[in-house]
Amino acid sequence: MILSRLRALVQAPGRWRRRGLAFLLGAIGALALAPFNLFPVLFVSFTGLFWLLDDARRAREGFGTGWWFGWGHFICGLFWIASAFLVEPDKFAWMIPFPVLGLPALLALFTGAACALAVAVSRPGPMRLAALAAAWTLAEFARGHVLTGFPWNLAGHAMAFSDATMQPAAWIGVTGLSLVVIAATAAPGLFAGYGRPGRRAGGLALVLLAVLSLAGWMRLSPVGAAPGDGPVVRVVQPNIAQRDKWDRDRLVENFELQLAMSRDPEADVVIWSETAVVWSIEDTQPVRDALAAVAAGLSGGRGGVLVTGVPRFVRDDDPPTWRNSARAIGPDGSFLATYDKVHLVPFGEYLPLRPLLQQIGLERLAQGRGDFQRGPDVQVFDVPGLPPAGVMICYEAIFPGRAVPGRRPAWLINLTNDGWFGELTGPYQHFVSARFRSVEQGLPLVRAAGTGVSAIVDPFGRIVASQALGTRGAITAVLPKPLQPTIYNTVGDIAAMMIAIFVLLAAAIRRLFW
């Protein structure tokens, strides 16, 4: 049988051979993520990983296999990080190997821990596969929280290859989807030499994936285009390259370009991207007046709202601080609402462990740049005349459950500057994360990205209108209506976490007593 021969080939001895195979399988799995969306490759990737783990005798072997798999997976999934160091290549290009190879090496600790746990608590066979899916899910949850978290490219994100397969996130979230994806895509491994119990368990996992996909299709099938009775929204994507965004000789030109792209009397609200305005508005009256003039021309001349990302200087702090903010500006130039980014990017917006760096003698690194200050807890963005919104600035969109504060908003706004990511895979992966927030919460999403992908998304995660990556333009559409609160909105990740823990406990009990 072909599968049995493949299993024997995968499990052939040789330490470095197995490590290289694990690395290759992990790298192949990255093709299931955006923009490739080749979901079937996961059947190769995770079936191979399961076979490698299934004959592991000790947790240490499982950790090594999982680490090599994760290293390959994250290198191929996150290579776009190099783009940020090529904005000023003369200064930073030499550093590229550290994030491109080093960050994946650290993230692979989570996949290594997941595989070690699966081997430690389970016997070979169907229970080891179940333990792998459960431990992987817990590891992804931990990756989203440890050291501020980095839940990028979760296994569940592979379900974004169609609108229908994203829909189960409304019930179990991306975390629950990861549990199902790992179990189902590793399931073919149970059809090779595990007898009838293995075939039954593998078939059950595949059926579960099929049932969830069918349920997602049924959720969409009676629904046409999402109705829109909200404000008319215009999203501006100026496509200003990152190297030009802060060029002093082009600041005024860039600003005037965005002003010209924003004038639309049919729109009620115009949305600009993260730090689209590079000056502190409070200290630059001509800039504030220009923004107010755009707002005054909206809604057929009756006046509307302009929402923009801007660095905000807060003099009331002691000492004064800078914040990465979203601000809503009215026709008279008043600030109608303000949101300060809460979840900052380590090393990008602030320097972690600054006191420690100073103590060990790295004063120049610790003092060479300023930090943004995080804002207060996530709050609803209340703008008079608009439905209440939940704002996510850039990085915040990748965190499940953070999009909605205590009071549920009626829509989501994601301001981001993906210019740092270049035109590689990163912007597409970031957009997928934002779309999942929409599905999980049942809320429409308006996303303004300086270089793309900008979009208006309905509460099912479907794209109503979009501006392609690396292009200049503006999109205008009526804001779709929100849905009733989803199951995920109510229970969050608790259900998926409880299932994963129960599976691991069951595997451990079976190993000890049967």
Side-chain angles (χ1 to χ4, degrees):
M1 188 176 180
I2 295 177
L3 285 177
S4 296
R5 292 178 181 177
L6 287 174
R7 177 188 171 190
L9 184 64
V10 168
Q11 293 180 336
R15 176 182 299 179
W16 282 103
R17 176 190 170 282
R18 290 167 68 97
R19 289 174 176 175
L21 181 57
F23 182 93
L24 178 61
L25 290 170
I28 290 172
L31 294 174
L33 301 167
F36 309 107
N37 297 313
L38 300 177
F39 185 83
V41 302
L42 291 184
F43 290 100
V44 175
S45 188
F46 281 105
T47 293
L49 176 63
F50 164 64
W51 281 337
L52 287 173
L53 293 175
D54 203 46
D55 68 345
R57 297 180 180 180
R58 296 182 297 274
R60 185 174 64 182
E61 295 178 49
F63 179 86
T65 298
W67 187 88
W68 282 95
F69 182 96
W71 198 38
H73 185 70
F74 290 120
I75 286 176
C76 292
L78 298 173
F79 71 93
W80 52 264
I81 291 176
S83 298
F85 295 84
L86 294 175
V87 173
E88 297 181 87
D90 55 321
K91 296 180 180 179
F92 301 113
W94 66 272
M95 298 177 63
I96 287 177
F98 296 100
V100 171
L101 300 178
L103 178 60
L106 293 175
L107 296 176
L109 296 175
F110 291 95
T111 59
C115 294
L117 179 59
V119 171
V121 304
S122 65
R123 290 182 177 181
M127 288 306 297
R128 181 151 297 177
L129 185 148
L132 171 62
W136 193 283
T137 302
L138 291 176
E140 285 193 342
F141 185 81
R143 178 157 64 89
H145 292 80
V146 173
L147 298 177
T148 79
F150 188 64
W152 194 284
N153 286 352
L154 306 179
H157 287 156
M159 296 291 276
F161 67 89
S162 80
D163 293 337
T165 51
M166 294 180 69
Q167 299 311 304
W171 312 314
I172 58 177
V174 173
T175 303
L177 280 179
S178 290
L179 181 65
V180 175
V181 165
I182 301 301
T185 56
L190 292 175
F191 290 89
Y194 293 94
R196 182 175 295 178
R199 291 192 296 272
R200 286 178 176 174
L204 180 63
L206 291 170
V207 167
L208 178 59
L209 178 65
V211 168
L212 280 177
S213 299
L214 178 61
W217 177 81
M218 293 176 65
R219 186 173 190 251
L220 291 181
S221 61
V223 179
D229 62 354
V232 177
V233 180
R234 183 174 179 84
V235 181
V236 173
Q237 181 174 301
N239 194 38
I240 298 169
Q242 186 62 31
R243 65 176 57 90
D244 299 329
K245 183 180 178 73
W246 300 94
D247 184 340
R248 291 181 178 274
D249 295 332
R250 305 189 66 167
L251 294 182
V252 174
E253 175 188 339
N254 294 340
F255 182 64
E256 291 179 343
L257 168 65
Q258 294 178 91
L259 291 175
M261 296 176 67
S262 302
R263 298 186 177 99
D264 182 354
E266 295 183 1
D268 300 307
V269 55
V270 171
I271 310 287
W272 288 10
S273 62
E274 178 189 16
T275 59
V277 176
V278 298
W279 302 281
S280 176
I281 300 177
E282 290 91 345
D283 301 326
T284 318
Q285 191 62 42
V287 171
R288 189 167 174 176
D289 292 341
L291 296 173
V294 169
L298 302 176
S299 299
R302 297 185 303 275
V305 179
L306 189 151
V307 177
T308 182
V310 60
R312 187 167 79 92
F313 189 59
V314 184
R315 289 188 172 84
D316 293 338
D317 288 349
D318 186 19
T321 60
W322 285 95
R323 300 189 184 186
N324 188 351
S325 304
R327 309 206 78 174
I329 297 143
D332 60 354
S334 61
F335 297 120
L336 304 177
T338 298
Y339 170 79
D340 297 320
K341 187 176 182 182
V342 175
H343 204 128
L344 301 175
V345 181
F347 298 101
E349 294 176 309
Y350 75 99
L351 190 64
L353 307 176
R354 180 177 291 273
L356 176 61
L357 290 175
Q358 291 175 329
Q359 289 179 8
I360 63 177
L362 298 180
E363 292 89 351
R364 186 171 182 179
L365 176 61
Q367 297 175 358
R369 56 176 301 280
D371 291 341
F372 278 114
Q373 179 67 33
R374 71 185 299 272
D377 289 340
V378 179
Q379 298 177 356
V380 171
F381 195 67
D382 275 317
V383 179
L386 295 179
V391 177
M392 306 173 292
I393 297 180
C394 190
Y395 188 65
E396 293 178 313
I398 72 174
F399 293 90
R402 288 194 59 89
V404 175
R407 179 164 65 91
R408 188 171 186 257
W411 57 310
L412 301 174
I413 300 174
N414 178 208
L415 309 183
T416 186
N417 175 27
D418 287 0
W420 289 106
F421 301 170
E423 295 185 20
L424 300 174
T425 57
Y428 297 103
Q429 295 167 0
H430 198 196
F431 181 39
V432 163
S433 288
R435 287 177 63 202
F436 267 111
R437 303 295 82 80
S438 185
V439 178
E440 288 169 342
Q441 303 297 338
L443 296 174
L445 165 74
V446 176
R447 187 174 197 263
T451 56
V453 180
S454 298
I456 297 173
V457 176
D458 77 5
F460 296 97
R462 299 176 300 185
I463 300 171
V464 175
S466 66
Q467 187 70 35
L469 177 66
T471 64
R472 177 175 296 166
I475 53 177
T476 304
V478 178
L479 182 69
K481 293 175 61 175
L483 303 177
Q484 292 298 313
T486 62
I487 294 175
Y488 181 82
N489 177 257
T490 303
V491 303
D493 291 319
I494 293 176
M497 291 295 99
M498 290 182 65
I499 292 172
I501 293 170
F502 173 80
V503 168
L504 290 173
L505 289 175
I509 291 172
R510 189 176 188 279
R511 176 170 184 146
L512 290 173
F513 299 106
W514 280 280

